[in-house]
Amino acid sequence: MGYRSFVAIGDSFTEGLGDPLLDGSGAAAGGVVRYRGWADRVAERLARLEPDFRYANLAVRGKLIDQVVDVQVPLAVQMRPDLISFCAGGNDLIRPGSDPDRMAKKVAAAVRDLRGTGAEVILFTGMDPRDTPIMRRARGKFAVFFMHIRSLADLYGCHLVDMWSMQGLRDWRAWSDDRLHMNSTGHRLVAAKVLDVLGVPEEGDWRMTWPPRERVDSRAKLREDALWFRRHFAPWIGRRLRGTSSGDGVDPKRPHLGPLS
């Protein structure tokens, strides 16, 4: 079955951070970095199969699960598309005191509302955080939440994109310098996985084996870690202390259901 409309909701993962959309000169269009991401890539493929295809992307970086459910889900329900993707919770899980069981109840209510429109819904498990020094301390919490997502997909008849099993994403060459967002290669792999789950023919394959990586000098690795701490981790800590978010003042990139330009 062809999809005539698709609405993507969530946080930076769905907004597409790490996958910049550049013009022909290699500079961000208009001097402002815009992002493509897996959802745009999926929409582009679906649009090639359906002439009247429409797409909206309501995702905003930094949003917590309550914000996604309370703001974006009602908008998606009003749009009544054929297909809705929902992925949220990562920003909650990396915060102390987050409760994966409470989060899952919030997701369950959202999925009921989304499925109630008659739309097909895509849910996601996230990556196994064991390779990430900071997040792997909360690996058990991540696993509990993702098991809830699996059960909700089964209970409500949703498509499930299992990123935990995507070995190609375990290589740092699929990730941006901030070590939190996928780069263009990572987003391309996720898009291929989504299309595979939907049963949509696609040239690319999400199963990827990376060639052996050159050995990195230990001193170079220390310099790289220090640069990451200064450019990415320290600002993140600063936002937590100030109670601000990277998504403050950021609007959805495609707030209305319309044709792809």
Side-chain angles (χ1 to χ4, degrees):
M1 184 185 71
Y3 296 101
R4 295 170 298 173
S5 52
F6 170 37
V7 175
I9 58 181
D11 51 29
S12 59
F13 168 67
T14 302
E15 184 184 349
L17 261 66
D19 186 11
L21 183 63
L22 305 178
D23 65 19
S25 67
V32 177
V33 178
R34 295 183 298 148
Y35 296 97
R36 189 182 184 190
W38 69 265
D40 284 18
R41 292 170 181 269
V42 168
E44 291 159 12
R45 177 62 179 135
L46 297 179
R48 292 197 294 271
L49 301 174
E50 175 56 56
D52 298 323
F53 180 80
R54 296 175 300 151
Y55 170 53
N57 190 318
L58 309 178
V60 176
R61 67 198 72 174
K63 295 305 180 183
L64 301 173
I65 199 165
D66 287 348
Q67 295 169 313
V68 173
V69 171
D70 295 343
V71 177
Q72 298 179 28
V73 168
L75 293 175
V77 169
Q78 292 175 12
M79 293 178 182
R80 305 189 73 84
D82 296 332
L83 180 67
I84 303 172
S85 68
F86 178 99
C87 186
N91 292 316
D92 299 76
L93 290 168
I94 61 177
R95 284 168 166 77
S98 58
D99 182 352
D101 297 321
R102 188 204 70 82
M103 292 166 57
K105 290 181 180 179
K106 195 81 175 182
V107 174
V111 171
R112 285 195 297 268
D113 290 343
L114 296 174
R115 289 289 284 147
T117 67
E120 294 186 25
V121 174
I122 309 170
L123 299 178
F124 295 76
T125 71
M127 286 292 302
D128 184 348
R130 64 178 173 176
D131 299 318
T132 307
I134 296 173
M135 290 190 287
R136 67 185 175 199
R137 297 182 179 182
R139 190 184 184 204
K141 191 163 56 173
F142 276 81
V144 169
F145 180 66
F146 296 150
M147 285 303 296
H148 280 305
I149 297 298
R150 285 178 174 274
S151 65
L152 291 174
D154 186 45
L155 181 63
Y156 293 107
C158 302
H159 300 284
L160 180 67
V161 176
D162 182 12
M163 289 169 37
W164 192 284
S165 66
M166 294 181 67
Q167 295 300 305
L169 295 180
R170 291 191 59 196
D171 193 292
W172 283 113
R173 284 172 284 186
W175 294 81
S176 300
D177 291 340
D178 66 5
R179 306 180 184 180
L180 186 61
H181 300 103
M182 297 174 190
N183 59 23
S184 297
T185 298
H187 279 282
R188 178 176 56 80
L189 293 176
V190 172
K193 176 71 169 181
V194 172
L195 291 168
D196 183 45
V197 168
L198 293 176
V200 177
E202 173 65 312
E203 295 180 359
D205 189 358
W206 59 268
R207 301 170 184 85
M208 180 176 183
T209 301
W210 291 89
R213 192 170 186 175
E214 294 183 5
R215 186 173 181 179
V216 179
D217 179 79
S218 59
R219 289 176 295 182
K221 182 63 168 62
L222 288 174
R223 289 194 297 269
E224 182 181 293
D225 290 343
L227 183 62
W228 168 79
F229 185 91
R230 185 169 65 254
R231 287 185 176 178
H232 302 289
F233 188 65
W236 183 84
I237 291 294
R239 289 195 297 271
R240 299 289 77 73
L241 295 175
R242 294 190 301 271
T244 60
S245 168
S246 59
D248 291 345
V250 178
D251 296 322
K253 65 179 182 180
R254 297 186 63 90
H256 307 293
L257 195 60
L260 284 170
S261 58

